[in-house]
């Protein structure tokens, strides 16, 4: 039960992290440019906390999943020697490596997005109609990049699940 609970928490943390970028993109697409600064001001205080918490939870539960939800017994995918010998183990490890790299990219994006929100919401003189609050293409680009990263992560999860299942089936295959 704890195992399923941690998978759920992992998924929820991912939804929060990538959802934050969805909010930024939605504001760009749905809110008139002269009204955006107020949204940026409201999102700026909780953003670092939500981003930091969700990325920390993703990393911690990801390590747990690598240990306890991999094709082999604990330490699971963290046992590089054993993973290198099982069917699809190398590909599994490469996919996990991509996910670990994504956490690093996510941290960089979180810091960049937090700075962008601060600049967009608290523009020079506090004028909410200042150009930086109305048009901030870097903020939009960062949010879209993070959403693309989320799609890549969703695909990597599908690959990991597929490889996990194949590794179990490989045990049943006749050896020739």
């Amino acid at each position: 039960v704890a195992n399923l609970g941690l998978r759920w928490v992992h998924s929820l943390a991912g939804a929060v992290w990538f959802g934050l970028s969805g909010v930024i993109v939605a504001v760009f697409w749905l809110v008139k440019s002269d009204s955006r600064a107020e949204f940026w001001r409201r999102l700026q205080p909780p953003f670092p906390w939500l981003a930091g918490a969700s990325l920390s939870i993703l990393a911690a539960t990801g390590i747990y999943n690598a240990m306890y939800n991999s094709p082999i017994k604990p330490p699971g995918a963290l046992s590089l020697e054993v993973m290198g010998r099982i069917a699809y183990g190398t590909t599994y490890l490469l996919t996990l490596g991509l996910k670990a790299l994504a956490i690093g990219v996510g941290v960089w994006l979180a810091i960049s997005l937090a700075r962008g929100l601060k600049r967009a919401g608290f523009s020079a003189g506090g004028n909410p109609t200042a150009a930086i609050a109305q048009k901030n293409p870097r903020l939009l680009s960062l949010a879209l990049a993070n959403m693309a990263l989320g799609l890549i992560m969703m695909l990597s999860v599908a690959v990991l699940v597929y490889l996990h299942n194949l590794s179990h089936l490989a045990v049943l295959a006749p050896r020739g």
Side-chain angles (χ1 to χ4, degrees):
V1 174
N3 195 339
L4 289 175
L6 283 174
R7 288 183 195 186
W8 184 84
V9 168
H10 187 76
S11 297
L12 182 63
V16 168
W17 169 233
F18 295 112
L20 286 169
S21 291
V23 168
I24 292 169
V25 171
V27 168
F28 267 103
W29 289 346
L30 301 174
V31 177
K32 292 180 183 179
S33 62
D34 58 346
S35 301
R36 289 183 191 145
E38 183 60 30
F39 283 93
W40 303 146
R41 272 193 220 102
R42 289 182 184 198
L43 186 58
Q44 194 270 330
F47 183 87
W49 295 102
L50 290 170
S54 61
L55 285 169
S56 297
I57 291 168
L58 276 170
T61 55
I63 291 168
Y64 176 88
N65 286 331
M67 292 177 66
Y68 296 101
N69 294 318
S70 66
I72 59 174
K73 294 180 181 179
L78 301 181
S79 176
L80 303 180
E81 179 188 339
V82 176
M83 286 298 290
R85 292 189 314 227
I86 67 169
Y88 310 105
T90 304
T91 306
Y92 198 91
L93 285 174
L94 288 172
T95 307
L96 284 176
L98 173 68
K99 291 174 75 94
L101 178 64
I103 289 291
V105 172
V107 168
W108 176 79
L109 283 167
I111 292 167
S112 299
L113 283 165
R115 288 179 179 162
L117 283 170
K118 188 171 186 177
R119 280 192 301 270
F122 297 99
S123 54
N127 180 1
T129 59
I132 195 168
Q134 293 174 12
K135 298 175 185 171
N136 193 333
R138 181 160 163 46
L139 184 60
L140 178 60
S141 296
L142 289 167
L144 288 171
N146 193 51
M147 291 177 75
L149 181 66
L151 290 173
I152 292 168
M153 289 302 94
M154 286 173 40
L155 288 173
S156 75
V157 167
V159 168
L160 285 176
V161 169
Y162 181 72
L163 292 175
H164 183 100
N165 293 335
L166 281 179
S167 68
H168 288 294
L169 294 173
V171 174
L172 303 174
R175 297 183 188 246

